[in-house]
Amino acid sequence: MSKRNYKFCFGPWNISEGQDPYGSPVRPAQTFDWKLAALKKLGFDAMMFHDDDAVPDIDGKSDAQVRKESKLLKKKLADAGVAAEMVAPRLWFDPRTIDGAYTSNDPKCRKYAIERSLRCIDVANHLGTDLIVLWLAREGSYIRESKNARKCVDYLVEAIDAMLAHDKKIRISIEPKPDAKRVGCLIESAHSILAGLDTADDIDFAMSFGKLWSLHLNDQNGLKFDQDKPFGSANLRVAFNQVRALERNGYGKNGEYVCFDVHPFRPTKVEHWLAHLDNSRRTFLKLVAKARSFDEKQAKALIKDRNYAALDQLVIEHLLGR
Ligand code: XLS
Ligand code: MG
């Protein structure tokens, strides 16, 4: 197993105020500077952004204002020794994305979504990252008959082609769920689990094509909304196998970050507000140690003998700390 160190990242939204689909915020909102200081205090390496995290109310700003505010943010990050990992166009709040962004039935809304994505690329350039992330949150349909899925694929390709044409260097990570060289993916534990998939398999699959450019590690308790639970907090063995997949594929060797797209539990008190981020990294690093100390030789012998009961127990007892 490699002995590489990983680099860690989270976004301002991961220090959230506790709102969820069933209730309003329970903690007072903090400033961006408070969150940046918290990231530094935790010893993380980078911050990931939505376009309107970097430039609030971006839709109402001129290109000159977007450039000015992005560059101010870039200086603030540089002064703190923090990199910008990626920028994601937030295409799920604005009323023009109510029926999808790139795949809206309304051409004017599709045009808005593409133009907003091009500005997101400009923000990424100002912040010094060549990576944008597309979380296709609103794409799809509320009733199947409202959209032609074949046409929606064409709309998605049209949007991605427009982004690749806008900037010859930008790389696009689609979460997860066109110019083959500059389109890859971001895998998120919770999204795989929600789709009934295994995140380790998704990591192996994406890395076999050299396409895993970013990663949101978290956890999920069954088929509810995207819970973004701390890494390993619901499915520890699933988390162990995610780390084994990252290790065997050498994730991070090209500078990729491990991002924790996690939220605190709603009852969390202000004084414990950062624990979910620190805990996610602690769990990750402990599972790295578990992956690197796993008896691979014994596992290989049991696999050769197709003795999966013993292999199963070997994993369980290793995780339990025999
Ligand atoms: C969904 C997305 C979301 C961020 C980035 O998990 O990663 O959390 O807003 O788009
Ligand atoms: Mg995410």
Side-chain angles (χ1 to χ4, degrees):
M1 282 290 177
S2 66
K3 297 288 170 254
R4 262 174 315 97
N5 292 327
Y6 288 90
K7 298 192 293 181
F8 297 103
C9 164
F10 65 80
W13 65 90
N14 297 121
I15 303 182
S16 51
E17 292 80 29
Q19 63 278 24
D20 67 18
Y22 311 109
S24 52
V26 292
R27 291 178 293 274
Q30 293 297 339
T31 62
F32 176 80
D33 289 348
W34 187 95
K35 295 184 176 183
L36 182 58
L39 184 138
K40 279 302 288 173
K41 195 167 84 178
L42 287 172
F44 276 57
D45 307 284
M47 189 178 263
M48 52 183 176
F49 294 91
H50 297 116
D51 50 3
D52 57 7
D53 292 325
V55 181
D57 311 318
I58 189 168
D59 283 330
K61 303 258 171 82
S62 68
D63 289 348
Q65 282 172 292
V66 168
R67 186 180 315 109
K68 183 166 168 267
E69 289 186 34
S70 304
K71 288 197 177 291
L72 281 172
L73 172 61
K74 168 70 180 158
K75 178 154 181 352
K76 190 174 278 191
L77 293 173
D79 291 349
V82 171
E85 189 250 352
M86 66 84 177
V87 186
R90 194 199 300 270
L91 295 173
W92 51 92
F93 280 3
D94 190 280
R96 287 164 285 190
T97 62
I98 195 165
D99 186 24
Y102 305 126
T103 65
S104 170
N105 284 324
D106 181 339
K108 289 192 295 308
C109 296
R110 294 200 298 272
K111 182 168 177 291
Y112 160 76
I114 291 175
E115 285 170 356
R116 170 112 183 214
S117 303
L118 302 187
R119 303 193 92 194
C120 173
I121 291 171
D122 297 341
V123 172
N125 279 324
H126 299 322
L127 293 184
T129 175
D130 69 346
L131 188 63
I132 64 164
V133 162
L134 302 183
W135 181 39
L136 303 177
R138 294 281 181 219
E139 310 308 347
S141 58
Y142 289 91
I143 56 166
R144 182 60 67 226
E145 297 80 4
S146 68
K147 290 193 182 176
N148 169 336
R150 172 65 196 268
K151 257 199 194 154
C152 289
V153 171
D154 295 341
Y155 291 151
L156 283 174
V157 171
E158 181 193 338
I160 290 169
D161 281 348
M163 292 175 232
L164 294 172
H166 180 72
D167 180 300
K168 296 299 174 217
K169 299 182 313 316
I170 206 71
R171 297 182 304 135
I172 302 172
S173 261
I174 301 176
E175 196 184 340
K177 306 141 195 92
D179 177 320
K181 289 200 203 58
R182 293 193 288 143
V183 181
C185 75
L186 176 159
I187 282 174
E188 171 153 335
S189 316
H191 299 171
S192 297
I193 295 168
L194 281 168
L197 303 172
D198 182 282
T199 318
D201 291 348
D202 291 346
I203 290 169
D204 274 325
F205 180 73
M207 293 221 61
S208 66
F209 293 93
K211 288 291 186 183
L212 187 61
W213 297 347
S214 185
L215 180 67
H216 284 185
L217 293 183
N218 49 29
D219 212 338
Q220 180 70 25
N221 239 352
L223 300 181
K224 301 181 184 75
F225 58 91
D226 196 349
Q227 288 179 301
D228 291 341
K229 295 183 75 143
F231 182 57
S233 76
N235 311 282
L236 190 60
R237 187 161 173 187
V238 171
F240 172 63
N241 279 303
Q242 289 173 64
V243 171
R244 289 188 79 221
L246 295 174
E247 285 280 288
R248 63 174 163 259
N249 286 288
Y251 178 81
K253 66 177 182 292
N254 303 315
E256 303 89 353
Y257 289 88
V258 172
C259 309
F260 295 114
D261 187 11
V262 292
H263 287 274
F265 301 120
R266 191 160 186 265
T268 299
K269 292 194 278 184
V270 171
E271 54 266 39
H272 307 139
W273 205 338
L274 304 180
H276 63 302
L277 293 158
D278 198 35
N279 292 347
S280 294
R281 182 180 51 185
R282 283 166 59 92
T283 303
F284 177 83
L285 291 172
K286 286 181 181 300
L287 288 175
V288 167
K290 280 288 177 190
R292 292 178 181 173
S293 61
F294 183 56
D295 188 343
E296 297 289 353
K297 198 157 157 272
Q298 171 67 347
K300 270 198 183 77
L302 293 171
I303 291 166
K304 191 158 180 278
D305 184 30
R306 215 178 69 215
N307 185 349
Y308 294 162
L311 176 62
D312 188 40
Q313 196 58 20
L314 178 73
V315 173
I316 291 169
E317 292 187 6
H318 183 60
L319 288 177
L320 288 174
R322 273 175 292 198

